[in-house]
Amino acid sequence: MKDPYEVLGVSRTASDSEIKAAYRELVKKYHPDNYANNPLADLASEKMKEINEAYDSITKARAGQSAGGYQTNSQSGYQSAYQNYGSQNARNSNYAQIRSYINANQLDMAESYLNTAAERDAEWYYLKGVIAYRRGWLDEARQHYQTACAMMPGNYEYQNALRTVQGGYTPYRQTNYQNNNMDAACDICNTLLCLNCLCGGCGR
Amino acid sequence: MFGYVRPRRDQLEEAELEAYQAAYCGLCRALGKRYGFLARFLVNYDMCFLSLLRSSVKEPAREARCWCPARVCGKKNCVLDPEGYEVPAACTVILCYEKLRDNVRDEGFFKGLPARLLRLVYHRAYGRAARRLPDFAALTARQLAALGELEAAQSPSIDAVADAFARITAACAADLEDPALRRPMEQVLYQTGRFLYLADALDDLKEDCAKGNYNPLRFRFTPENGALRPEDEAYLTQLTDSSVNLAGAALALLPLRAHEALLENIVYLGFPSVFSLVKAGKFNSRDQIRFTKEKNK
């Protein structure tokens, strides 16, 4: 296992609050929301696991040293978010199968299954969009996402996906790089709010 | 080639700017050492980004003062990394040479004459580079041929034509063995290639419309007087912004040991700034060889 301090990018003498701040910053950077439908989501998920483990091991080690020191719970909600992502809304088993192909990056397989489907509902267009998005075919992805959203308005998953190709929702950026785009800032807030609802809804 | 991939210099720290210039000079030097003096003329900003990206995951290389042929006297800082810069240098030679082949094929005898001459000049260098990276050389030829077919068929899919090109840039990292390095790097390079292609298409739109040449934006949107309608331009900007986001997300997954701020600057600031300039018709590239879509019909 890697040195947990190195993973969080802090020195061994860093205070608890400094470590917490570094941890939060990294969580923000590798948040599942930034890698939704991303072909590299598996790497981001591994990275997140590494960060959580590093934070856990530091807080545990420090709590053990100082008697009566406060114990910080690791935020396991972040860990589970990756697994939960995408499992909702899989209404029929065919779509569930296609989603698992997509998550395994077997896009050709997923697409050929999808093309045999008789019914072209909102989910069909959404999955078609996800496949295009993972391939980097962003124009096509956006067209399909738009169709899915129009067919089933109010579906958060489809709306979030559409937002990722509208350029407004920007993943993590270093703070000094932020341009003064208020729309983008609002979109980030909205997405975080949505994510909060999702995490709350997972029964934890 | 294009010169669309460049940092926002005003937002760089002094040390970062020096690192960028040293990488540029390092690539130029690697080209000269390995492929002869004339290959130095092929150095460009896009390939400098590739060199930076590939060297960012390794131990920082040594820097030295090197003689620069573009200067009358004095020396410049340059990265001395013969092994690390071998692949970017070979990619540069192969891409430029293949593009010349494309030009020769598309132009008539007299118009294609300069390209023919340049091909002769770089023939030996290409042979050498293709022996170093045979898979990349084959893929580049294949993808440019596929791109030519899509252009001849007047494809309205900007995704398909950009994909044909972006696969070439992505393949500049195909030789890396560790998938934890290769996959994010390929994604950064794929989105970079996509951005390059779209920025170039927008840059050439006016000329292509006037001359009746193929341009994917002409068939995907309905330009009026050689310009996109504002809503289409906004749509296209959102598409390239999404590429920026995807490239940035992939960059964050690379275990960077150097150049982090510099690479982030190029992706998050350089790309959007260049695209704004292109939209305003103010982009000016001084590069001699360009990947354009000058094919007739």
Side-chain angles (χ1 to χ4, degrees), chain B residues 109-167:
Chain B
F109 180 77
F110 287 106
K111 268 186 100 179
L113 217 51
R116 264 172 226 271
L117 282 175
L118 279 173
R119 270 192 75 196
L120 279 180
V121 168
Y122 290 117
H123 187 74
R124 273 174 64 103
Y126 172 78
R128 216 163 192 212
R131 274 197 298 282
R132 174 68 184 79
L133 296 176
D135 292 344
F136 181 73
L139 179 123
T140 306
R142 207 165 54 233
Q143 288 304 127
L144 283 179
L147 186 60
E149 275 170 33
L150 284 168
E151 290 175 352
Q154 303 199 330
S155 169
S157 166
I158 51 178
D159 286 337
V161 283
D163 179 77
F165 179 73
R167 278 171 193 254

Side-chain angles (χ1 to χ4, degrees), chain B residues 36 44 48 50-51 81-82 100 104 127 133 176 179-180 187 192 194 198-199 207 237 242 272 278 290-291 296:
Chain B
N44 61 68
C48 179
L50 174 68
S51 314
D81 186 7
L100 289 174
V104 170
L133 296 176
L176 299 171
Q187 170 79 327
T192 304
R194 192 182 149 88
L198 292 180
E207 196 187 322
T237 307
S242 303
V278 170
R290 308 179 65 206
F291 272 83
N296 315 317

Side-chain angles (χ1 to χ4, degrees), chain A residues 11-57:
Chain A
S11 75
R12 287 178 178 279
T13 52
S15 71
D16 287 355
S17 61
E18 277 167 354
I19 287 169
K20 196 164 192 174
Y23 169 72
R24 288 213 165 135
E25 195 59 27
L26 286 170
V27 163
K28 216 159 66 183
K29 184 168 175 177
Y30 296 104
H31 200 279
D33 231 37
N34 292 346
Y35 292 89
N37 295 332
N38 193 302
L40 303 172
D42 56 322
L43 294 178
S45 154
E46 270 169 37
K47 184 90 189 169
M48 192 68 129
K49 215 172 127 206
E50 195 181 281
I51 293 162
N52 278 322
E53 278 170 7
Y55 185 66
D56 268 1
S57 84

Side-chain angles (χ1 to χ4, degrees), chain B residues 7-284:
Chain B
R8 270 280 298 265
R9 285 176 190 244
D10 57 327
Q11 302 279 331
L12 282 179
E13 303 277 333
E14 189 76 18
E16 291 159 8
L17 185 60
E18 275 169 21
Y20 184 72
Q21 282 163 346
Y24 190 83
C25 296
L27 176 62
C28 178
R29 190 170 188 279
L31 281 165
K33 286 269 169 211
R34 196 138 186 98
Y35 300 105
F37 178 76
L38 289 173
R40 280 177 176 253
F41 288 96
L42 304 178
V43 68
N44 61 68
Y45 289 130
D46 308 326
M47 285 313 201
C48 179
F49 175 67
L50 174 68
S51 314
L52 276 170
L53 186 65
R54 286 186 61 111
S55 56
S56 66
V57 292
K58 296 191 302 187
E59 284 292 325
R62 203 159 63 85
E63 282 188 22
R65 305 285 293 173
C66 301
W67 171 74
C68 171
R71 278 188 158 196
V72 182
C73 60
K75 291 185 169 184
K76 286 176 117 175
N77 268 352
C78 78
V79 177
L80 281 188
D81 186 7
E83 276 159 45
Y85 277 50
E86 207 179 319
V87 172
C91 290
T92 308
V93 172
I94 291 170
L95 270 169
C96 292
Y97 185 81
E98 286 292 349
K99 184 54 204 161
L100 289 174
R101 191 201 298 269
D102 235 32
N103 286 355
V104 170
R105 203 181 50 211
D106 299 338
E107 307 284 358
F109 180 77
F110 287 106
K111 268 186 100 179
L113 217 51
R116 264 172 226 271
L117 282 175
L118 279 173
R119 270 192 75 196
L120 279 180
V121 168
Y122 290 117
H123 187 74
R124 273 174 64 103
Y126 172 78
R128 216 163 192 212
R131 274 197 298 282
R132 174 68 184 79
L133 296 176
D135 292 344
F136 181 73
L139 179 123
T140 306
R142 207 165 54 233
Q143 288 304 127
L144 283 179
L147 186 60
E149 275 170 33
L150 284 168
E151 290 175 352
Q154 303 199 330
S155 169
S157 166
I158 51 178
D159 286 337
V161 283
D163 179 77
F165 179 73
R167 278 171 193 254
I168 301 175
T169 51
C172 293
D175 59 303
L176 299 171
E177 270 162 28
D178 182 1
L181 290 183
R182 192 191 63 239
R183 289 178 56 211
M185 212 179 275
E186 279 181 338
Q187 170 79 327
V188 173
L189 292 168
Y190 181 94
Q191 296 302 335
T192 304
R194 192 182 149 88
F195 170 79
L196 272 175
Y197 192 88
L198 292 180
D200 191 49
L202 186 61
D203 209 8
D204 293 342
L205 183 63
K206 197 165 185 173
E207 196 187 322
D208 287 342
C209 284
K211 290 186 179 168
N213 289 344
Y214 172 77
N215 185 313
L217 302 178
R218 257 183 78 196
F219 295 92
R220 170 65 180 83
F221 304 108
T222 43
E224 290 156 5
N225 299 326
L228 292 182
R229 287 178 303 184
E231 63 267 33
D232 290 339
E233 196 175 89
Y235 181 93
L236 188 67
T237 307
Q238 291 185 346
L239 284 186
T240 51
D241 281 351
S242 303
S243 280
V244 170
N245 290 342
L246 279 172
L251 191 63
L253 291 173
L254 282 171
L256 298 180
R257 302 167 102 172
H259 308 318
E260 186 172 358
L262 184 49
L263 291 168
E264 282 186 354
N265 176 303
I266 294 174
V267 169
Y268 282 125
L269 298 177
F271 283 17
S273 304
V274 164
F275 205 71
S276 300
L277 284 176
V278 170
K279 276 193 289 193
K282 286 182 188 156
F283 184 78
N284 193 353

Side-chain angles (χ1 to χ4, degrees), chain B residues 279-296:
Chain B
K279 276 193 289 193
K282 286 182 188 156
F283 184 78
N284 193 353
S285 145
R286 56 168 182 80
D287 292 294
Q288 61 282 56
I289 300 167
R290 308 179 65 206
F291 272 83
T292 43
K293 301 144 299 310
E294 308 144 356
K295 281 167 205 161
N296 315 317

Side-chain angles (χ1 to χ4, degrees), chain A residues 99-118:
Chain A
R99 274 176 186 262
S100 72
Y101 282 131
I102 292 175
N103 286 334
N105 268 341
Q106 293 176 307
L107 302 181
D108 291 336
M109 188 82 114
E111 190 166 39
S112 66
Y113 262 84
L114 202 56
N115 288 342
T116 59

